[in-house]
Amino acid sequence: MAAPTRLQQEIADRILQLVRDDALAAGAWLNENATAKRLGVSRTPVRAALDHLAEQGVVRRHLNKGIELISLPAASESARAPETVDLAMVKLAHERENGLLPDEVSELEVMRRYELGRPEAQKLLARLADLDMVERKPGYGWRFLHEPRDQRLRDESYRFRLLIEPMAMLEPDFQLDPGWIAEMRARHVESLKRPWRESSSIAFYEMNADFHEGLAAATGNRFFHSAMRRQNQLRRLSNYDWDQGMERVRVNCAEHMAMLDHLEAGENEVASALMRSHLLRASKLRRMLRVDDAEG
């Protein structure tokens, strides 16, 4: 049995932490794609980490069925490390979005600012790089690839999305895969079941981004899909810095599920109108919260 790489072990630990957070027991089923989305990484390292857990007897792969949880090892310090990195990610997102973090940072600065050891700081920067949020500078340090989003950029983004997202559902070739719909529903239900913690904003945003991107992809129009992927990239850190509480999570999930219900029923025009209302409400709420923060 080959020893796992550092990345495989890290992701395996994070998968186990998700299992504990969701209070899953032996016999539960894991979805490789959904797990990758929740962790904010690509499927390849998740697949390798699950293979490592299978070698340990923690999970078992079933052909054409998925991955079954067989047993859950006791929590260890290494298993708790991902939560430390997630919390640091949320703090970094807040500082970056509020102009407190410069365009370029060093590993040592990340360690100092977020009270991380070197391995945790490296994990944080590696995750940001995997999400195309930073790139390593030649020689030393890291550079952010996107500027912080001020209120004007947020308003412009929502106005752009109001133009393309409701119309995407009215495209002549729009078609959703039933498997995608089922996965989205399951992920939304899971989000509502999990207790909300400061670091929960990361998994919640990735699910939210996948929902909007999946609808754009269903148009079969590469320009819709590309535009939505770009918007998701630009708003990632802003949404990791979530300040709207669990109540807004519940509203968000309910609005998404209502759109799926109407799309499944072939009522695309109704779903399109709901998307417009959804984006308008989110835009107004974001603006109100930012004004309150400025006046506070």
Side-chain angles (χ1 to χ4, degrees):
M1 184 185 302
T5 65
R6 185 175 67 179
L7 178 61
Q8 289 170 0
Q9 186 61 60
E10 177 204 341
I11 293 179
D13 288 342
R14 293 175 65 196
I15 291 171
L16 292 177
Q17 189 61 48
L18 286 180
V19 168
R20 295 186 181 94
D21 290 346
D22 294 350
L24 299 182
W29 292 86
L30 307 179
N31 181 283
E32 187 177 284
N33 186 52
T35 299
K37 297 295 187 182
R38 285 183 65 184
L39 295 179
V41 298
S42 62
R43 292 181 63 180
T44 300
V46 168
R47 185 179 300 115
L50 287 168
D51 288 341
H52 169 59
L53 291 175
E55 291 177 348
Q56 293 183 315
V58 176
V59 300
R60 178 185 299 135
R61 286 189 179 274
H62 295 267
L63 185 63
N64 299 324
K65 289 186 65 177
I67 302 150
E68 182 185 8
L69 180 64
I70 303 300
S71 65
L72 185 59
S76 64
E77 288 301 319
S78 61
R80 286 192 289 270
E83 173 68 9
T84 301
V85 177
D86 282 349
L87 287 171
M89 177 78 85
V90 172
K91 293 175 183 176
L92 178 146
H94 176 79
E95 293 192 353
R96 178 64 180 165
E97 286 300 300
N98 287 276
L100 303 175
L101 198 60
D103 292 339
E104 298 181 359
V105 295
S106 68
E107 185 178 293
L108 286 175
E109 184 175 3
V110 170
M111 292 169 61
R112 177 186 61 79
R113 292 183 79 108
Y114 307 113
E115 299 179 344
L116 297 174
R118 189 176 299 276
E120 288 76 23
Q122 291 173 342
K123 291 174 184 176
L124 175 59
L125 290 165
R127 284 176 61 184
L128 287 168
D130 192 55
L131 292 167
D132 293 326
M133 302 305 298
V134 300
E135 65 179 2
R136 190 186 292 275
K137 292 172 56 183
Y140 181 76
W142 296 79
R143 178 187 298 111
F144 281 96
L145 297 176
H146 308 291
E147 62 182 304
R149 301 208 315 162
D150 58 21
Q151 189 57 53
R152 180 179 176 181
L153 283 175
R154 290 187 181 91
D155 289 344
E156 289 178 356
S157 174
Y158 272 113
R159 287 198 298 272
F160 177 70
R161 293 175 63 196
L162 278 163
L163 288 174
I164 69 166
E165 292 199 64
M167 294 304 298
M169 301 176 186
L170 305 181
E171 280 288 285
D173 294 329
F174 185 90
Q175 186 172 5
L176 284 174
D177 179 81
W180 182 86
I181 295 176
E183 179 185 331
M184 275 292 115
R185 281 211 173 95
R187 290 175 66 183
H188 280 70
V189 170
E190 287 176 8
S191 292
L192 294 173
K193 287 181 178 178
R194 289 193 298 271
W196 185 263
R197 299 184 300 182
E198 186 178 355
S199 61
S200 299
S201 59
I202 297 175
F204 174 66
Y205 171 72
E206 295 302 335
M207 178 197 72
N208 183 70
D210 289 342
F211 176 83
H212 288 275
E213 187 175 323
L215 293 178
T219 64
N221 185 319
R222 70 194 71 184
F223 295 104
F224 275 99
H225 191 197
S226 175
M228 197 63 243
R229 290 183 64 184
R230 174 66 174 168
Q231 287 297 310
N232 281 342
Q233 281 289 78
L234 292 174
R235 66 194 186 99
R236 177 167 271 108
L237 286 184
S238 175
N239 282 266
Y240 280 4
D241 182 23
W242 181 258
D243 53 7
Q244 301 180 41
M246 187 61 191
E247 183 55 37
R248 181 57 195 167
V249 172
R250 295 189 185 96
V251 172
N252 185 287
C253 288
E255 291 176 351
H256 283 186
M257 300 281 260
M259 283 183 246
L260 290 179
D261 289 342
H262 287 290
L263 288 170
E264 270 197 310
E267 299 168 345
N268 291 41
E269 290 191 3
V270 178
S272 175
L274 290 176
M275 175 62 82
R276 179 172 175 77
S277 298
H278 174 71
L279 294 174
L280 279 171
R281 189 176 295 110
S283 174
K284 291 177 181 177
L285 183 57
R286 274 281 182 179
R287 192 180 300 113
M288 289 169 56
L289 287 171
R290 292 295 171 180
V291 170
D292 289 344
D293 287 346
E295 294 176 348

